[in-house]
Amino acid sequence: MRHNQGVELAFVLVSLAVYVGYHLWLFVLLPRVRAKQSSSSNRVIISKVSNDVRTAWTYLSASDKTDSGVPAVQTLRNSIMAASFMATTCGLMATSGVLQVLTDDQRLGQIRKLGDLDPAVDLAGSRGLVRAEWKMAFALFLLLLALLLFVQSIRLYSFLAYYIKVQASDEQFRSVASMNLTLAMNRRCGHCWTAGVRLFYAFIPALLWIMGPVTLLVTTVVVVAVLAISDEITVGHDFSRVIGSRHLPADDQAEK
């Protein structure tokens, strides 16, 4: 391995560690830290609040007998529209953007010249760690994977809209087991949405990798910094604990 390839590999590994490490901290370590803190903590993790709200919303919607699940179906329709918008965006960016560049030799030649201007590694006249085509192919893979997850989210939300409508109208679908199935489906929808959004964020530095490893690292740090600001908010009290302790079915309350 040449010196310039080793330097680029180091930048790639650091960028990967920053992005993956942040999400491990956000979804695994930080919730444990917040759980050990006192109830007066005013820092709230958006993903944790989202899970608690989904739990409360599921049990409230499934047990609502007044409107036969109409408000719940409208909420799910809004979620389907949001996922459809993101899926359409990913599809257009993949087919009308990245894929067209990959099949155009002239554009690929211009992209290769961008890597030659990298301030950390002089790639001019030498071969980089990965060819520009493979870098763009990797970015395209992330975009298509995000598209797949958004489509899965739409599929599950569509099924959930039918199920929760029947659940609100038919007494035999209002058992605790049936509500737990609704909750599991709702959380799976949320997981597909979250994973799709996170892959869409990762697409940004992956695409800009074609401009060199320094651009990759800088973009990764900027994306993670923006996510760190928006993934956690400050409130007047521990809002997540308040939501997580309400609207649970009788069997779940007894287990607690």
Side-chain angles (χ1 to χ4, degrees), residues 109-128:
Q110 295 175 352
I111 289 175
R112 294 189 189 98
K113 294 179 180 179
L114 294 176
D116 297 340
L117 303 176
D118 187 89
V121 184
D122 183 12
L123 299 179
S126 62
R127 182 179 178 182

Side-chain angles (χ1 to χ4, degrees), residues 95-230:
T95 57
S96 301
V98 180
L99 197 58
Q100 284 191 357
V101 174
L102 279 174
T103 55
D104 191 330
D105 293 335
Q106 183 177 0
R107 292 183 180 180
L108 283 175
Q110 295 175 352
I111 289 175
R112 294 189 189 98
K113 294 179 180 179
L114 294 176
D116 297 340
L117 303 176
D118 187 89
V121 184
D122 183 12
L123 299 179
S126 62
R127 182 179 178 182
L129 179 66
V130 181
R131 293 173 60 89
E133 295 91 327
W134 289 106
K135 294 177 182 178
M136 294 201 66
F138 176 68
L140 178 63
F141 169 76
L142 293 179
L143 200 59
L144 293 177
L145 190 57
L147 170 63
L148 176 62
L149 288 169
F150 287 131
V151 171
Q152 290 299 310
S153 179
I154 296 171
R155 180 178 71 89
L156 295 174
Y157 274 129
S158 299
F159 169 78
L160 188 59
Y162 285 104
Y163 190 81
I164 206 166
K165 172 66 175 177
V166 174
Q167 193 173 53
S169 305
D170 195 336
E171 290 288 345
Q172 67 178 351
F173 283 93
R174 291 179 185 166
S175 63
V176 174
S178 181
M179 288 188 177
N180 287 337
L181 174 59
T182 306
L183 176 60
M185 290 292 297
N186 197 5
R187 286 179 173 173
R188 179 64 61 85
C189 293
H191 293 161
C192 289
W193 167 265
T194 300
V197 170
R198 300 291 162 169
L199 285 173
F200 186 80
Y201 294 150
F203 164 76
I204 300 174
L207 181 63
L208 294 181
W209 185 14
I210 60 178
M211 300 179 64
V214 172
T215 306
L216 169 65
L217 180 58
V218 171
T219 309
T220 302
V221 172
V222 171
V223 170
V224 169
V226 173
L227 293 179
I229 295 173
S230 60

Side-chain angles (χ1 to χ4, degrees), residues 27-40:
F27 292 111
V28 179
L29 299 178
L30 187 57
R32 297 178 182 179
V33 173
R34 290 287 180 263
K36 295 179 180 179
Q37 293 180 345
S38 62
S39 58
S40 60

